[in-house]
Amino acid sequence: MKKRAAPLFLAVLTACAMTCPARAAEAAPAALYPVEVQEYRTEDLEEPRISKTYALSPADDPALIPTQDFERSGRVYTLLDVVREEQTETDSKYHTETVTLDSKSKDMEEIMPLLAATCEAATEDGYTGVLTLDTASIQVEASGYATSTRNVSATRSYPNLSEADVSLVPKTIEDSGRTLTLADVQWQEAGGFYHAAATYTGTASSQYATGYTVTADYTGEVTRTTNETVLYTAVFGPAEETADETALSQADQADGFDWRWLLILPAGAGAVGLVFLGRFLFQKYKSKKEWEEFNK
């Protein structure tokens, strides 16, 4: 077990050095980049400002926008405010809707009060608007029919008959396209001849509309407003330095030494130490193997 400890420890160090950066990259969220960066100064205090504008879709998370402090031209900037602005687009088109209703009459004076002058429209694809009645498009059609029947009659005169005999009088006649049947005969005698006044009866039927269907078109422009992009503008201003930070900055400038290296050196020293430790353990293991081989 002791012989295997050194190479095993070295392998673990190597694996950690290779996998840690990869895992850190996987855990990091996708970076957002600004579509516009502006540098300007305020009118009242003449302080420098830097604004970064990001264009996000409604599904994007604005929490991913970078808001941490950063340094530019030797000055540290910190977040002051974030402004949200929705970008909307309006599209329009011509639209027609047909309205259908029932009426008891086909008279336009009775139909017009049934039709509103305007109507609100909402299409399936999100367009809305107010449409106006097109009076020229109004059409009226019967929605159903019924039949009515009535009695009708007609008279005919037949003069100069030799006898008062009904057989001399026609049994049916045609009147206005209808066939009527003999119902009664009145006789009069004059100079040895007979005058017949015949009455014919029958029935007449006709159809009438039981109701009417009215159709009319409403036309006009409908619009749709879409929101595909949201703009976020992060505004940064100079960070306020504390008294200790100001003194330290002045001391750094005086001696020409950047004390920020003190933050980097421990991390670098630790990495170098791990490398040397690994090489030391590997050399020790290699020397031990050579000694064992020599004493065999």
Side-chain angles (χ1 to χ4, degrees), residues 130-259:
V130 178
L131 307 180
T132 304
L133 173 65
D134 180 8
T135 56
S137 68
I138 299 176
Q139 295 183 358
V140 182
E141 295 181 357
S143 57
Y145 291 93
T147 302
S148 63
T149 303
R150 68 182 188 278
N151 295 324
V152 295
S153 64
T155 60
R156 296 288 188 273
S157 296
Y158 302 100
N160 303 319
L161 297 179
S162 59
E163 297 179 9
D165 188 355
V166 176
S167 63
L168 300 177
V169 178
K171 301 299 184 291
T172 60
I173 62 172
E174 295 291 328
D175 182 74
S176 301
R178 294 181 289 270
T179 301
L180 304 182
T181 304
L182 179 64
D184 186 33
V185 179
Q186 297 295 325
W187 299 94
Q188 290 181 353
E189 182 183 3
F193 292 95
Y194 293 90
H195 178 84
T199 302
Y200 295 85
T201 60
T203 59
S205 61
S206 60
Q207 285 187 329
Y208 64 94
T210 57
Y212 298 90
T213 299
V214 181
T215 59
D217 293 338
Y218 287 81
T219 61
E221 190 176 79
V222 291
T223 60
R224 179 180 63 180
T225 300
T226 57
N227 179 19
E228 298 294 339
T229 305
V230 181
L231 294 182
Y232 290 88
T233 301
V235 181
F236 296 85
E240 296 182 359
E241 296 182 352
T242 62
D244 295 339
E245 291 173 343
T246 304
L248 180 60
S249 176
Q250 293 175 352
D252 291 344
Q253 295 176 359
D255 58 17
F257 179 74
D258 191 352
W259 292 95

Side-chain angles (χ1 to χ4, degrees), residues 286-296:
K286 182 177 180 182
S287 299
K288 188 173 182 180
K289 290 290 292 183
E290 292 176 354
W291 177 256
E292 290 176 354
E293 292 292 334
F294 178 77
N295 290 329
K296 284 184 179 180

Side-chain angles (χ1 to χ4, degrees), residues 78-83 233-236:
T78 189
L79 179 68
L80 298 180
D81 201 357
V82 177
V83 180
T233 301
V235 181
F236 296 85

Side-chain angles (χ1 to χ4, degrees), residues 5 16 21 63 89 104 115 206 212 253 260 282:
C16 289
E89 294 183 0
K104 295 181 180 180
L115 296 169
S206 60
Y212 298 90
Q253 295 176 359
R260 287 175 295 181
F282 179 73

